[in-house]
Amino acid sequence: MKKLLPFLLLMALCGSCRKPQDTPPLQSILTDGVWRISLYKQNNSNNTFLYTGWQFRFNADKTVDVSNGTQTFAGTWNEDPRADNFEIKITSTEQELSDISHLWFNKLLTYRQVLFQNNKTNPTKELQFTKL
């Protein structure tokens, strides 16, 4: 019995260990709802205020509809799960949309918030979307 007790304790401990949850797929996150930019930093300067009132709807067909309340813009988005990146392209003369239209690397993905960086090792830009 003395030899069996440590084994049972070890099994109980192993059974109580939880596997970390996998990050949800980006497409399933983005295509569920309407999003706003809750953070846009460039060279440590917070420029989030430029996106006040902007709304983003990411569609399953990899298109994105963007509205600032008075105008609507169209674009595309794509993800590469193997490379852990996200690309957004919005055709517009609006500087705010040009600034975010490029390749981003995933930093944090949750069902309510996604955070991207423009460079994994030395980011100079960060872009965060939060679900409305």
Side-chain angles (χ1 to χ4, degrees), residues 24-75:
L26 182 60
Q27 181 167 348
S28 69
I29 295 171
L30 287 180
T31 58
D32 181 30
V34 178
W35 298 81
R36 68 179 177 86
I37 291 180
S38 53
L39 176 68
Y40 177 68
K41 285 174 69 175
Q42 185 172 12
N43 298 322
N44 292 321
S45 179
N46 189 332
N47 294 316
T48 308
F49 69 94
L50 297 172
Y51 299 92
T52 301
W54 290 82
Q55 293 185 356
F56 295 75
R57 180 174 300 278
F58 296 92
N59 304 305
D61 66 356
K62 304 292 179 137
T63 60
V64 59
D65 301 311
V66 184
S67 173
N68 64 3
T70 57
Q71 296 174 290
T72 301
F73 306 92

Side-chain angles (χ1 to χ4, degrees), residues 3 5 16 42 58 65 68 104 125 128 131:
K3 291 181 180 179
L5 187 56
S16 68
Q42 185 172 12
F58 296 92
D65 301 311
N68 64 3
W104 297 91
K125 291 184 183 181
Q128 179 175 291
K131 189 183 290 190

Side-chain angles (χ1 to χ4, degrees), residues 3-119:
K3 291 181 180 179
L4 186 59
L5 187 56
F7 177 74
L8 290 174
L9 287 174
L10 181 62
M11 292 303 293
L13 285 174
C14 289
S16 68
C17 295
R18 289 187 174 192
K19 178 184 174 190
Q21 287 188 326
D22 292 330
T23 302
L26 182 60
Q27 181 167 348
S28 69
I29 295 171
L30 287 180
T31 58
D32 181 30
V34 178
W35 298 81
R36 68 179 177 86
I37 291 180
S38 53
L39 176 68
Y40 177 68
K41 285 174 69 175
Q42 185 172 12
N43 298 322
N44 292 321
S45 179
N46 189 332
N47 294 316
T48 308
F49 69 94
L50 297 172
Y51 299 92
T52 301
W54 290 82
Q55 293 185 356
F56 295 75
R57 180 174 300 278
F58 296 92
N59 304 305
D61 66 356
K62 304 292 179 137
T63 60
V64 59
D65 301 311
V66 184
S67 173
N68 64 3
T70 57
Q71 296 174 290
T72 301
F73 306 92
T76 60
W77 68 275
N78 201 6
E79 67 171 321
D80 184 348
R82 289 178 305 237
D84 207 22
N85 65 34
F86 162 80
E87 185 171 21
I88 185 168
K89 294 179 184 177
I90 303 167
T91 306
S92 168
T93 57
E94 299 289 324
Q95 186 62 44
E96 296 90 344
L97 297 178
S98 296
D99 286 345
I100 65 168
S101 293
H102 60 80
L103 183 66
W104 297 91
F105 292 95
N106 303 343
K107 183 175 180 185
L108 171 71
L109 305 177
T110 70
Y111 286 106
R112 306 247 351 120
Q113 195 171 65
V114 293
L115 176 61
F116 305 105
Q117 297 176 320
N118 69 320
N119 184 322

